[in-house]
C-alpha cells in the first residue's frame, strides 16, 4: 500500500505510541515542543476528509527519536484511523530539543 506523504504505517504508529507510554524515565522537559511545517499541515487539510479536529499522540520511534503523531478526529470526538478508507496516522514533526526557538517566550 502506498501511503501519503508523512503517513506512517499503522504498525509503526502503534509501536511508537507504546514506546512513549511505556517509558518511566522521561523527565517533563525532555521534549519541550514539536516543530510542524505549515506545508505538511496544509497537505492534510487540503483533503476532504471529514475531520473536525486533530489529535496528537506522543511517540518514540524505534531509533529513540521523540515524535508527535497526528490523526483526524470526527464530530463525535473519535479518532479516524482506517487505512482502507484513507484515514492515516501522520508523522510530520521534529522535536525540540534539536529545533528549539531561540525566543523563550514561555519562560518567566
Amino acid at each position: 500500500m502506498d501511503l501519503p506523504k508523512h503517513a506512517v504505517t499503522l504498525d509503526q504508529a502503534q509501536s511508537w505510541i507504546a514506546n512513549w507510554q511505556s517509558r518511566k524515565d522521561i523527565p517533563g522537559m525532555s521534549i519541550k515542543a514539536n516543530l510542524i511545517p505549515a506545508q505538511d499541515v496544509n497537505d492534510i487539510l487540503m483533503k476532504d476528509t471529514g475531520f473536525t479536529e486533530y489529535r496528537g499522540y506522543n511517540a518514540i520511534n524505534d531509533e529513540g527519536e521523540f515524535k508527535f503523531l497526528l490523526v483526524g478526529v470526527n464530530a463525535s470526538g473519535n479518532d479516524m484511523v482506517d487505512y482502507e478508507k484513507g484515514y492515516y496516522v501522520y508523522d510530520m514533526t521534529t522535536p525540540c530539543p534539536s529545533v528549539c526557538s531561540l525566543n523563550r517566550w514561555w519562560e518567566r
Side-chain angles (χ1 to χ4, degrees):
M1 170 192 309
D2 289 333
L3 297 176
K5 183 178 179 181
H6 303 295
V8 297
T9 68
L10 185 57
D11 286 342
Q12 283 175 313
Q14 291 169 331
S15 174
W16 295 0
I17 292 168
N19 288 346
W20 174 271
Q21 292 176 346
S22 67
R23 295 283 296 260
K24 305 287 186 234
D25 62 337
I26 301 173
M29 294 307 287
S30 290
I31 186 76
K32 298 176 184 179
N34 287 281
L35 180 65
I36 305 171
Q39 185 58 51
D40 295 347
V41 174
N42 291 337
D43 289 345
I44 295 172
L45 295 178
M46 296 288 287
K47 296 179 181 181
D48 182 19
T49 58
F51 299 158
T52 58
E53 299 177 296
Y54 293 87
R55 182 170 285 117
Y57 286 89
N58 291 314
I60 301 172
N61 69 14
D62 296 333
E63 290 74 42
E65 182 181 22
F66 292 102
K67 294 290 186 175
F68 186 75
L69 303 178
L70 194 66
V71 300
V73 176
N74 65 19
S76 299
N78 294 314
D79 293 354
M80 295 177 69
V81 177
D82 186 331
Y83 280 57
E84 291 181 15
K85 294 181 180 177
Y87 302 139
Y88 302 105
V89 179
Y90 292 91
D91 165 29
M92 51 190 188
T93 63
T94 305
C96 162
S98 88
V99 290
C100 297
S101 172
L102 297 177
N103 175 8
R104 296 180 176 264
W105 55 269
W106 66 89
E107 293 181 348
R108 294 183 184 194

